[in-house]
Amino acid sequence: MNRSELPMATTSQTRLKRDALAGSEGRHPPLHILFLHRHRKEVERCLRELDKVHFTVSAEIVATPEQFSARLGAHAYDLVVAEHAIPAWQETQALELLHLSKKQIPLIFVGGALAKESVAELITRGAYDCIEMAHIGHLPVVIRRALDEKTLREERDRAEIGLRHSEARYRALAGNLSYGICRCSLDGKFLEVNEAMVKMLGYASKEELLAVNLASDLIQDPGKRAQLLGQPDSQGSIDPVEIEWKRKDGTTLKVRLSGQEVLGEQSELDTFEVITEDVTKQRQLEDHLRQLAARDPLTGLANYRQLVEVLDMEIKRSERTGREFAVLLFDLDGLKKINDRYGHMTGSHALCRVADILSFCRDIDTAARYGGDEFAVVLPETGVEAASQAAERISNSISNDGMGPKLSVSVGVAVYPRDGERIEALLRAADVAMYEMKSRKHELLDGQ
């Protein structure tokens, strides 16, 4: 048996430790990863990349659906790293088993050459990201991003649980400096507020704040009131109330609210009690992390993962409205020649020059870096004629940006639903059209 291949029929859970430097300066907290993979050597390559950036990892390897389900049910993991296209596995089976386990664990696929259509399908189905083994050095960055997003979700969940309070909790928090507490009349007028809420909203005294009627819209609107009190909607879900309130100086803050009814002596509804949490900085941090997660670090355009999400959203919108949308794929011609002749710095600058042109699209359009030297633009509510005109206009702008060396691009156009009704089919159609243009250019050059 090849030593790099794990036995498929055994139930042994191979545990690979990377904790020799655990607790040393610069180390992250221990990371528990479940690898769904047949080849030990490729798992060890992943672990070496994590070790380079000082992750301490406790890893387990499984290879069959039964082993995978059993480990998910028996242990807690921070991440799942799965081999793509394991024989006898359906392509999305790992995602389906993870979903059935009801565990909110990011899953990252690794493998050989991954077709972008397959990557689009996997991300749409819930995969966090997909990485080719040839670029496995990207794994630590993707894992750090996944863990940051997972941490934010867990913090939101804990905050939501903490805000579901009782009368005793209200009394305990009334003097708390972290949460604003108020008692409202049935029409939403403030009857009582604590000092934390006075300070949060920038007023000089309780009396000054009591004169303001910030909660009337929440209390008088039946839907918002039900949401405030934690009552499930028609789908059975409960979402916390988050709204913007204005401070005394006119600036806005984002607040999360949770409330309860207070009954009077006759067991009739008397007042409402509301806990207010200022989540402005938390939301700003989340927005910042989302932007980082959605952006290509070199060009600043949307990355491939964000492109897939935009395409999924546009397909759903098109299904509702019946309107077309278009995808343009651009390939920067001769990037290797630019790198060889002028150096990689100039090659990277060439990619940024293309990105600069694409970033001047309409506000409703999305420009993304599709691959190494490939870019995509999503044009909502655009048919084939308008998309072709946009492609020609962008190509001309890139060729005439006034900088050197002179650039050119090949472009392919695909329109939903004419050229495909799924993300992968749409991207494949645009990709085929783009390479047909590139082939024609090569034939012209060869004929000269």
Side-chain angles (χ1 to χ4, degrees):
M1 179 186 297
N2 187 329
R3 291 180 62 189
S4 67
E5 185 170 325
L6 292 175
M8 297 291 292
T10 70
T11 59
S12 69
Q13 310 302 328
T14 305
R15 186 177 296 272
L16 303 175
K17 296 286 188 180
R18 282 292 193 275
D19 55 6
L21 297 176
S24 64
E25 185 177 357
R27 285 267 158 178
H28 299 290
L31 187 62
H32 301 279
I33 302 179
L34 178 61
F35 281 89
L36 174 55
H37 212 294
R38 295 169 300 152
H39 303 290
R40 184 190 302 273
K41 286 186 177 179
E42 293 199 352
V43 173
E44 290 176 342
R45 279 185 64 192
C46 296
L47 294 173
R48 283 197 295 271
E49 293 299 327
L50 296 176
D51 195 58
K52 288 177 185 177
V53 293
H54 309 301
F55 275 108
T56 300
V57 178
S58 173
E60 298 181 28
I61 308 175
V62 296
T64 69
E66 294 76 18
Q67 292 171 355
F68 185 58
S69 295
R71 299 311 292 173
L72 287 176
H75 297 279
Y77 298 96
D78 299 300
L79 286 160
V80 173
V81 177
E83 179 184 1
H84 178 253
I86 301 178
W89 279 72
Q90 298 174 10
E91 188 172 44
T92 59
Q93 190 174 0
L95 288 167
E96 291 165 3
L97 292 175
L98 183 59
H99 178 72
L100 288 173
S101 75
K102 301 187 183 302
K103 301 281 184 73
Q104 297 295 318
I105 308 172
L107 187 150
I108 298 168
F109 282 102
V110 296
L114 299 173
K116 288 186 168 61
E117 296 84 1
S118 297
V119 174
E121 175 71 12
L122 293 170
I123 291 177
T124 302
R125 294 292 187 91
Y128 186 81
D129 213 333
C130 302
I131 303 174
E132 294 182 359
M133 289 302 296
H135 304 292
I136 201 62
H138 296 166
L139 181 63
V141 176
V142 173
I143 285 180
R144 170 50 56 200
R145 198 168 62 218
L147 293 177
D148 287 342
E149 292 183 14
K150 182 171 180 280
T151 298
L152 286 172
R153 284 198 306 272
E154 291 171 349
E155 287 176 354
R156 288 198 300 268
D157 290 344
R158 284 195 296 270
E160 177 62 20
I161 293 171
L163 288 174
R164 299 200 176 283
H165 55 282
S166 62
E167 175 71 14
R169 177 170 173 79
Y170 171 81
R171 296 303 175 195
L173 288 174
N176 192 300
L177 297 180
S178 300
Y179 294 89
I181 312 292
C182 66
R183 188 185 292 265
C184 302
S185 64
L186 301 185
D187 62 0
K189 182 180 179 181
F190 286 151
L191 301 176
E192 182 184 347
V193 295
N194 72 341
E195 286 293 342
M197 191 158 183
V198 174
K199 185 175 294 186
M200 183 186 299
L201 294 169
Y203 286 85
S205 66
K206 290 184 179 181
E207 292 71 24
E208 191 177 24
L209 180 54
L210 288 173
V212 180
N213 199 1
L214 286 175
S216 60
D217 182 51
L218 282 171
I219 301 302
Q220 294 179 2
D221 183 300
K224 291 181 179 178
R225 182 173 64 247
Q227 188 181 1
L228 175 70
L229 299 175
Q231 298 171 6
D233 59 20
S234 57
Q235 282 75 44
S237 61
I238 300 176
D239 294 320
V241 178
E242 285 197 9
I243 61 172
E244 285 189 350
W245 272 353
K246 284 190 179 295
R247 297 184 180 91
K248 182 183 177 181
D249 62 7
T251 59
T252 59
L253 73 163
K254 176 78 77 171
V255 292
R256 174 191 285 238
L257 305 169
S258 178
Q260 70 172 15
E261 297 175 339
V262 178
L263 303 181
E265 294 181 359
Q266 303 299 321
S267 296
E268 295 180 353
L269 179 60
D270 184 33
T271 58
F272 297 97
E273 290 173 349
V274 179
I275 289 183
T276 305
E277 181 187 9
D278 183 355
V279 294
T280 307
K281 290 183 179 179
Q282 182 180 345
R283 296 297 171 262
Q284 289 172 345
L285 174 60
E286 290 174 6
D287 289 343
H288 177 65
L289 288 174
R290 274 192 290 269
Q291 290 172 11
L292 290 178
R295 293 289 155 190
D296 172 62
L298 174 64
T299 64
L301 298 181
N303 59 18
Y304 186 76
R305 184 164 173 251
Q306 178 69 7
L307 173 65
V308 170
E309 292 177 1
V310 170
L311 287 170
D312 184 54
M313 179 182 68
E314 287 301 326
I315 287 174
K316 291 174 181 175
R317 177 156 54 189
S318 183
E319 289 173 347
R320 292 194 309 270
T321 65
R323 296 177 179 176
E324 298 175 309
F325 74 89
V327 180
L328 312 180
L329 289 189
F330 295 89
D331 181 89
L332 177 57
D333 299 324
L335 179 61
K336 184 177 185 304
K337 291 182 179 179
I338 294 174
N339 285 331
D340 291 344
R341 183 173 180 182
Y342 300 100
H344 286 274
M345 186 73 73
T346 301
S348 294
H349 183 239
L351 294 171
C352 292
R353 286 164 58 190
V354 175
D356 287 344
I357 300 297
L358 298 182
S359 65
F360 283 101
C361 297
R362 301 173 301 176
D363 289 342
I364 63 172
D365 301 335
T366 299
R369 189 176 179 191
Y370 184 62
D373 55 359
E374 296 177 352
F375 298 83
V377 178
V378 181
L379 305 174
E381 301 186 5
T382 303
V384 63
E385 184 175 350
S388 298
Q389 292 172 354
E392 184 176 0
R393 184 171 61 251
I394 293 170
S395 298
N396 290 336
S397 297
I398 292 170
S399 298
N400 299 289
D401 69 348
M403 291 184 271
K406 188 176 178 64
L407 305 179
S408 70
V409 292
S410 299
V411 58
V413 178
V415 175
Y416 178 90
R418 188 193 72 167
D419 297 315
E421 297 185 358
R422 295 171 63 87
I423 293 175
E424 55 269 29
L426 202 60
L427 291 173
R428 189 183 306 114
D431 198 57
V432 168
M434 180 180 70
Y435 277 97
E436 285 178 354
M437 174 181 280
K438 187 173 283 290
S439 296
R440 289 194 297 271
K441 287 183 177 181
H442 286 160
E443 290 173 1
L444 287 173
L445 289 172
D446 292 341
Q448 292 178 354

mmCIF file of all heavy atoms in Angstrom, residues 265-283:
data_model
loop_
_atom_site.group_PDB
_atom_site.id
_atom_site.type_symbol
_atom_site.label_atom_id
_atom_site.label_comp_id
_atom_site.label_asym_id
_atom_site.label_seq_id
_atom_site.Cartn_x
_atom_site.Cartn_y
_atom_site.Cartn_z
ATOM 1 N N GLU A 265 -51.108 44.874 37.696
ATOM 2 C CA GLU A 265 -51.716 44.139 38.799
ATOM 3 C C GLU A 265 -52.895 43.292 38.343
ATOM 4 O O GLU A 265 -53.202 42.258 38.937
ATOM 5 C CB GLU A 265 -52.180 45.125 39.888
ATOM 6 C CG GLU A 265 -51.019 45.845 40.574
ATOM 7 C CD GLU A 265 -51.512 46.784 41.652
ATOM 8 O OE1 GLU A 265 -52.749 46.869 41.826
ATOM 9 O OE2 GLU A 265 -50.678 47.415 42.315
ATOM 10 N N GLN A 266 -53.595 43.709 37.280
ATOM 11 C CA GLN A 266 -54.746 42.962 36.792
ATOM 12 C C GLN A 266 -54.350 41.969 35.692
ATOM 13 O O GLN A 266 -55.206 41.520 34.912
ATOM 14 C CB GLN A 266 -55.799 43.941 36.245
ATOM 15 C CG GLN A 266 -56.268 44.983 37.246
ATOM 16 C CD GLN A 266 -56.920 44.357 38.471
ATOM 17 O OE1 GLN A 266 -57.654 43.369 38.354
ATOM 18 N NE2 GLN A 266 -56.635 44.907 39.649
ATOM 19 N N SER A 267 -53.053 41.662 35.635
ATOM 20 C CA SER A 267 -52.520 40.753 34.607
ATOM 21 C C SER A 267 -52.772 41.264 33.203
ATOM 22 O O SER A 267 -52.915 40.488 32.250
ATOM 23 C CB SER A 267 -53.116 39.340 34.777
ATOM 24 O OG SER A 267 -52.718 38.783 36.006
ATOM 25 N N GLU A 268 -52.867 42.568 33.073
ATOM 26 C CA GLU A 268 -53.011 43.172 31.755
ATOM 27 C C GLU A 268 -51.693 43.842 31.372
ATOM 28 O O GLU A 268 -50.918 44.265 32.238
ATOM 29 C CB GLU A 268 -54.139 44.217 31.772
ATOM 30 C CG GLU A 268 -55.525 43.619 32.025
ATOM 31 C CD GLU A 268 -56.594 44.686 32.038
ATOM 32 O OE1 GLU A 268 -56.228 45.889 31.985
ATOM 33 O OE2 GLU A 268 -57.787 44.338 32.077
ATOM 34 N N LEU A 269 -51.481 43.914 30.059
ATOM 35 C CA LEU A 269 -50.255 44.531 29.580
ATOM 36 C C LEU A 269 -50.165 45.958 30.088
ATOM 37 O O LEU A 269 -51.064 46.764 29.886
ATOM 38 C CB LEU A 269 -50.221 44.506 28.039
ATOM 39 C CG LEU A 269 -48.996 45.138 27.378
ATOM 40 C CD1 LEU A 269 -47.719 44.430 27.829
ATOM 41 C CD2 LEU A 269 -49.128 45.074 25.855
ATOM 42 N N ASP A 270 -49.051 46.249 30.732
ATOM 43 C CA ASP A 270 -48.879 47.557 31.366
ATOM 44 C C ASP A 270 -47.799 48.381 30.664
ATOM 45 O O ASP A 270 -48.023 49.515 30.257
ATOM 46 C CB ASP A 270 -48.523 47.352 32.845
ATOM 47 C CG ASP A 270 -48.425 48.674 33.583
ATOM 48 O OD1 ASP A 270 -49.179 49.607 33.216
ATOM 49 O OD2 ASP A 270 -47.614 48.784 34.519
ATOM 50 N N THR A 271 -46.606 47.811 30.521
ATOM 51 C CA THR A 271 -45.481 48.515 29.886
ATOM 52 C C THR A 271 -44.612 47.510 29.141
ATOM 53 O O THR A 271 -44.839 46.294 29.211
ATOM 54 C CB THR A 271 -44.612 49.239 30.932
ATOM 55 O OG1 THR A 271 -44.135 48.281 31.890
ATOM 56 C CG2 THR A 271 -45.380 50.351 31.637
ATOM 57 N N PHE A 272 -43.614 48.044 28.445
ATOM 58 C CA PHE A 272 -42.586 47.226 27.799
ATOM 59 C C PHE A 272 -41.232 47.592 28.391
ATOM 60 O O PHE A 272 -40.987 48.761 28.701
ATOM 61 C CB PHE A 272 -42.553 47.480 26.286
ATOM 62 C CG PHE A 272 -43.812 47.100 25.572
ATOM 63 C CD1 PHE A 272 -44.776 48.069 25.289
ATOM 64 C CD2 PHE A 272 -44.045 45.799 25.166
ATOM 65 C CE1 PHE A 272 -45.940 47.741 24.626
ATOM 66 C CE2 PHE A 272 -45.205 45.454 24.501
ATOM 67 C CZ PHE A 272 -46.160 46.427 24.226
ATOM 68 N N GLU A 273 -40.380 46.584 28.536
ATOM 69 C CA GLU A 273 -39.016 46.824 28.974
ATOM 70 C C GLU A 273 -38.076 46.402 27.854
ATOM 71 O O GLU A 273 -38.241 45.332 27.262
ATOM 72 C CB GLU A 273 -38.705 46.041 30.248
ATOM 73 C CG GLU A 273 -39.458 46.585 31.455
ATOM 74 C CD GLU A 273 -39.295 45.729 32.685
ATOM 75 O OE1 GLU A 273 -38.770 44.603 32.542
ATOM 76 O OE2 GLU A 273 -39.685 46.165 33.775
ATOM 77 N N VAL A 274 -37.109 47.257 27.558
ATOM 78 C CA VAL A 274 -36.237 47.038 26.401
ATOM 79 C C VAL A 274 -34.784 47.180 26.808
ATOM 80 O O VAL A 274 -34.414 48.131 27.509
ATOM 81 C CB VAL A 274 -36.560 48.057 25.277
ATOM 82 C CG1 VAL A 274 -35.634 47.838 24.089
ATOM 83 C CG2 VAL A 274 -38.021 47.945 24.848
ATOM 84 N N ILE A 275 -33.968 46.216 26.392
ATOM 85 C CA ILE A 275 -32.517 46.301 26.553
ATOM 86 C C ILE A 275 -31.924 46.781 25.223
ATOM 87 O O ILE A 275 -32.266 46.279 24.154
ATOM 88 C CB ILE A 275 -31.898 44.950 26.935
ATOM 89 C CG1 ILE A 275 -32.270 44.587 28.366
ATOM 90 C CG2 ILE A 275 -30.385 44.987 26.812
ATOM 91 C CD1 ILE A 275 -31.640 43.311 28.847
ATOM 92 N N THR A 276 -31.037 47.767 25.301
ATOM 93 C CA THR A 276 -30.426 48.364 24.112
ATOM 94 C C THR A 276 -28.917 48.156 24.163
ATOM 95 O O THR A 276 -28.272 48.491 25.146
ATOM 96 C CB THR A 276 -30.724 49.883 24.062
ATOM 97 O OG1 THR A 276 -32.138 50.083 24.138
ATOM 98 C CG2 THR A 276 -30.185 50.489 22.780
ATOM 99 N N GLU A 277 -28.382 47.593 23.085
ATOM 100 C CA GLU A 277 -26.932 47.379 22.980
ATOM 101 C C GLU A 277 -26.405 48.168 21.790
ATOM 102 O O GLU A 277 -26.930 48.060 20.678
ATOM 103 C CB GLU A 277 -26.620 45.899 22.795
ATOM 104 C CG GLU A 277 -25.123 45.613 22.706
ATOM 105 C CD GLU A 277 -24.836 44.161 22.364
ATOM 106 O OE1 GLU A 277 -25.778 43.423 22.024
ATOM 107 O OE2 GLU A 277 -23.652 43.779 22.417
ATOM 108 N N ASP A 278 -25.377 48.961 22.002
ATOM 109 C CA ASP A 278 -24.738 49.707 20.916
ATOM 110 C C ASP A 278 -23.811 48.754 20.163
ATOM 111 O O ASP A 278 -22.794 48.314 20.690
ATOM 112 C CB ASP A 278 -23.942 50.885 21.491
ATOM 113 C CG ASP A 278 -23.308 51.755 20.408
ATOM 114 O OD1 ASP A 278 -23.397 51.391 19.221
ATOM 115 O OD2 ASP A 278 -22.728 52.803 20.758
ATOM 116 N N VAL A 279 -24.182 48.422 18.921
ATOM 117 C CA VAL A 279 -23.380 47.486 18.125
ATOM 118 C C VAL A 279 -22.728 48.199 16.936
ATOM 119 O O VAL A 279 -22.330 47.562 15.965
ATOM 120 C CB VAL A 279 -24.247 46.305 17.630
ATOM 121 C CG1 VAL A 279 -24.715 45.458 18.797
ATOM 122 C CG2 VAL A 279 -25.440 46.798 16.814
ATOM 123 N N THR A 280 -22.600 49.529 17.032
ATOM 124 C CA THR A 280 -22.046 50.302 15.918
ATOM 125 C C THR A 280 -20.647 49.825 15.544
ATOM 126 O O THR A 280 -20.364 49.534 14.376
ATOM 127 C CB THR A 280 -21.999 51.799 16.288
ATOM 128 O OG1 THR A 280 -23.299 52.223 16.722
ATOM 129 C CG2 THR A 280 -21.576 52.630 15.089
ATOM 130 N N LYS A 281 -19.744 49.741 16.522
ATOM 131 C CA LYS A 281 -18.356 49.352 16.222
ATOM 132 C C LYS A 281 -18.282 47.904 15.750
ATOM 133 O O LYS A 281 -17.485 47.569 14.873
ATOM 134 C CB LYS A 281 -17.477 49.553 17.460
ATOM 135 C CG LYS A 281 -17.254 51.022 17.813
ATOM 136 C CD LYS A 281 -16.317 51.171 19.001
ATOM 137 C CE LYS A 281 -16.079 52.642 19.321
ATOM 138 N NZ LYS A 281 -15.182 52.812 20.498
ATOM 139 N N GLN A 282 -19.128 47.048 16.332
ATOM 140 C CA GLN A 282 -19.133 45.646 15.921
ATOM 141 C C GLN A 282 -19.542 45.523 14.458
ATOM 142 O O GLN A 282 -18.925 44.777 13.685
ATOM 143 C CB GLN A 282 -20.093 44.850 16.806
ATOM 144 C CG GLN A 282 -20.133 43.361 16.487
ATOM 145 C CD GLN A 282 -21.103 42.627 17.385
ATOM 146 O OE1 GLN A 282 -21.548 43.137 18.396
ATOM 147 N NE2 GLN A 282 -21.437 41.410 17.004
ATOM 148 N N ARG A 283 -20.564 46.271 14.052
ATOM 149 C CA ARG A 283 -21.012 46.202 12.658
ATOM 150 C C ARG A 283 -19.966 46.801 11.716
ATOM 151 O O ARG A 283 -19.777 46.318 10.600
ATOM 152 C CB ARG A 283 -22.350 46.913 12.487
ATOM 153 C CG ARG A 283 -23.499 46.282 13.247
ATOM 154 C CD ARG A 283 -23.767 44.859 12.745
ATOM 155 N NE ARG A 283 -24.709 44.179 13.611
ATOM 156 C CZ ARG A 283 -24.340 43.343 14.578
ATOM 157 N NH1 ARG A 283 -23.047 43.077 14.783
ATOM 158 N NH2 ARG A 283 -25.242 42.764 15.334
#
